[in-house]
């Protein structure tokens, strides 16, 4: 692992040797702050590096928290491993007959919250006003406008707080632009959905979180637009992703090869901080590799707390590995820590009908997932005041009788056992009998006081209409998307961790919770949805999970009484 850290720490220099027959190149001659570079050929130009560092530390300022309004003093890793080599390495350009920056593309891959936005904001402002380019065009690029504005907002704040920059630059908030009228230069935000409107000639492109890009079209469009610029720079800062087929993963793999052999692409700067897959993710000593800011402006205690949660939650472990350890992970991961699920068993009672009778007359919220006509359908009741003095989950499952044999082959005969025990109701024929389902749900709504029913919005509309007429209970559609499922899934996990509910040992539900995997959208670790298995290829079923999540989400959303705050909060 130490070798890996050294290999990817800073971009290696590859001086170009001139032969005796080659014409002698002129001296670099770059001057700054009383220093003049007297080197020739490909070299590290100290005045150039000093100029970039001085711009950051003497003109830019921090914008957040306790560091706000203080000079943007670069951390040693930012200074020595990124800023100085990125702007200090130069080569002789025979076409332009002058020295230019060696690097035209830079790839910085570190864990989240290590100051990527602040570093990119500095680069954007330096390329706008510190690089000495007339009519410079700096573009902040990301998946959408909101993502691209994350770096822009930091840069705009830097301008407002810097005495030097605030006199020179004008921030146009409504159009997300920063203008230098002296040189007719501009820094503007461009989302990927504006690709068709580009007629740009970028001198610099600031690419934030490349892992969220659906493909490489936007990247290539911006890169090819820089062809006429003398010293263009396309710089990307990102965290590891979770899609092995994505454009970002392809670029990452290429950067690994460049880090091992800089001669493969001498014009590309690479700074990678990925914890190797075989490293212990719970060893604090390993965290510093992917988090160079750890112990500086990144809290070690915060990572310790997240690590504790991640060890008890497989889904959070994937998030911890991706965003905190900067490891490339799979899109799907196990969600429910079954050792915590087992602690929520509560009172067990058979047959299942007995459990429903024990909850008679109590308020409840329902969740319904009408599966295909030849598969498992699930219905869940969440009773907040359950028989164990905590919330109870009561399920019904239905299956066409002809589907039992096929699923038995994939579940070692478990389906037949659960049918015999009353946990699954079979209906005659090859397709599910919705009349049976509607009758059972109607019976349940007469037994407990169901406030409302949340259901998969793709379920059959005629069934919904009949259920509302028969039960008199309002029904709410829930999209099975990240936005639709995050709230209920999060609340359900919170109940599990706090032992705030009982599943009463339902074996079908346990099978579903043990099978369920979840995924997060690129760059959004707080959003989550179940990952439905391919029903024709596996015996895994997860139907108990979304029904419980929808019912819990409805209870937490519409069943909690809102109270006014009892004290005044004074804003500073």
């Amino acid at each position: 692992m130490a070798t890996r850290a050294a290999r990817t720490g800073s971009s290696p220099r590859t001086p170009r040797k001139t032969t005796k027959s080659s014409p002698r190149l002129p001296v670099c001659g770059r001057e700054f702050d009383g220093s003049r570079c007297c080197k020739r050929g490909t070299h590290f130009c100290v005045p150039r590096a000093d100029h970039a560092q001085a711009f950051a530390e003497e003109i830019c300022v921090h914008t957040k928290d306790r560091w706000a309004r203080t000079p943007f003093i670069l951390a040693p890793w930012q200074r020595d491993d990124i800023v100085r080599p990125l702007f200090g390495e130069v080569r002789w350009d025979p076409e332009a007959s002058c020295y230019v920056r060696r690097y035209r593309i830079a790839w910085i891959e570190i864990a989240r919250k290590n100051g990527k936005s602040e570093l990119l904001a500095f680069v954007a402002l330096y390329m706008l006003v510190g690089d000495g380019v007339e009519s410079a065009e700096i573009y902040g690029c990301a998946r959408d406008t909101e993502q691209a504005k994350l770096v822009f907002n930091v840069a705009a704040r830097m301008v407002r707080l810097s005495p030097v920059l605030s006199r020179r630059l004008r921030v146009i908030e409504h159009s997300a632009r920063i203008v230098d009228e002296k040189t007719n230069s501009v820094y503007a935000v461009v989302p990927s959905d504006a690709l068709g409107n580009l007629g740009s000639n970028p001198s610099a492109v600031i690419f934030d979180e490349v892992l969220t890009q659906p493909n490489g079209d936007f990247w290539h469009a911006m890169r090819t637009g820089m062809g006429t610029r003398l010293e263009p720079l396309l710089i990307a800062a990102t965290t590891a992703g979770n899609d092995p087929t994505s454009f970002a993963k392809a670029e990452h793999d290429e950067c690994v090869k460049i880090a091992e052999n800089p001669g493969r692409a001498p014009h590309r700067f690479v700074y990678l901080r990925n914890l190797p897959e075989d490293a212990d993710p719970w060893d604090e000593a390993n965290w510093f590799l992917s988090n160079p800011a750890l112990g500086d402006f990144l809290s070690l205690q915060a990572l310790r707390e997240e690590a504790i949660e991640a060890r008890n939650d497989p889904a959070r472990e994937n998030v911890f590995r991706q965003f905190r350890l900067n490891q490339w992970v799979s899109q799907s991961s196990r969600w429910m820590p079954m050792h915590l699920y087992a602690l929520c068993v509560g009172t067990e009672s058979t047959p299942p009908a007995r459990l429903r009778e024990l909850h008679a007359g109590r308020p409840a919220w329902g969740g319904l997932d009408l599966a295909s006509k030849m598969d498992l359908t699930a219905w869940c009741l969440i009773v907040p005041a359950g028989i164990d003095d905590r919330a109870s989950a009561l399920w019904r499952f239905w299956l066409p009788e002809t589907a039992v044999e096929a699923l038995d082959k994939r579940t070692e005969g478990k389906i037949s056992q659960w049918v015999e025990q009353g946990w699954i109701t079979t209906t005659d024929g090859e397709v599910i009998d919705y009349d049976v389902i509607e009758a059972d749900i109607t019976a349940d709504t007469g037994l407990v006081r169901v406030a409302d029913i949340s259901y998969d919005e793709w379920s059959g509309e005629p069934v919904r209409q009949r259920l509302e007429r028969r039960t008199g209970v309002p029904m709410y559609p829930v999209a099975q998307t990240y936005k639709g499922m995050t709230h209920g899934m999060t609340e359900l996990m919170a109940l599990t961790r706090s032992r705030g509910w009982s599943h009463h040992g339902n074996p079908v539900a346990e099978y579903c919770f043990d099978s369920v995997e979840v995924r997060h959208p690129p760059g959004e670790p707080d959003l989550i949805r179940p990952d439905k298995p391919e029903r024709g290829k596996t015996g895994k079923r997860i139907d108990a999970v979304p029904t419980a999540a929808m019912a819990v989400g409805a209870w937490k959303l519409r069943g909690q009484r809102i109270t006014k705050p009892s004290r005044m909060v004074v804003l500073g």
Side-chain angles (χ1 to χ4, degrees), residues 13-63:
R13 302 171 189 167
T14 53
R16 181 182 299 169
K17 297 181 180 180
T18 57
T19 63
K20 293 182 179 180
S21 59
S22 301
R24 186 173 175 81
L25 295 175
V27 168
C28 175
R30 177 61 68 98
E31 297 181 357
F32 175 69
D33 201 20
S35 174
R36 183 173 185 270
C37 181
C38 298
K39 295 181 179 179
R40 304 171 188 268
T42 299
H43 66 280
F44 179 77
C45 177
V46 173
R48 279 179 177 256
D50 288 347
H51 185 264
Q53 181 181 343
F55 185 90
E57 300 183 341
E58 297 177 20
I59 294 179
C60 295
V61 296
H62 284 288
T63 64

Side-chain angles (χ1 to χ4, degrees), residues 439-519:
D440 287 344
I441 292 175
T442 301
D444 286 349
T445 58
L447 185 65
V448 297
R449 294 186 289 126
V450 180
D452 61 53
I453 299 171
S454 297
Y455 68 99
D456 181 349
E457 66 176 354
W458 291 107
S459 297
E461 182 63 16
V463 177
R464 183 199 65 79
Q465 293 177 2
R466 291 195 299 269
L467 276 174
E468 280 196 324
R469 284 197 301 268
R470 294 181 65 171
T471 65
V473 177
M475 298 184 67
Y476 295 89
V478 177
Q480 306 297 291
T481 60
Y482 297 112
K483 184 177 180 180
M485 295 303 295
T486 292
H487 172 66
M489 297 284 285
T490 302
E491 293 289 353
L492 186 55
M493 181 59 74
L495 285 176
T496 304
R497 288 205 189 97
S498 64
R499 297 179 65 178
W501 71 308
S502 297
H503 51 73
H504 303 293
N506 187 311
V508 185
E510 181 180 3
Y511 182 72
C512 292
F513 276 90
D514 194 33
S515 298
V516 70
E517 294 184 337
V518 295
R519 64 174 61 207

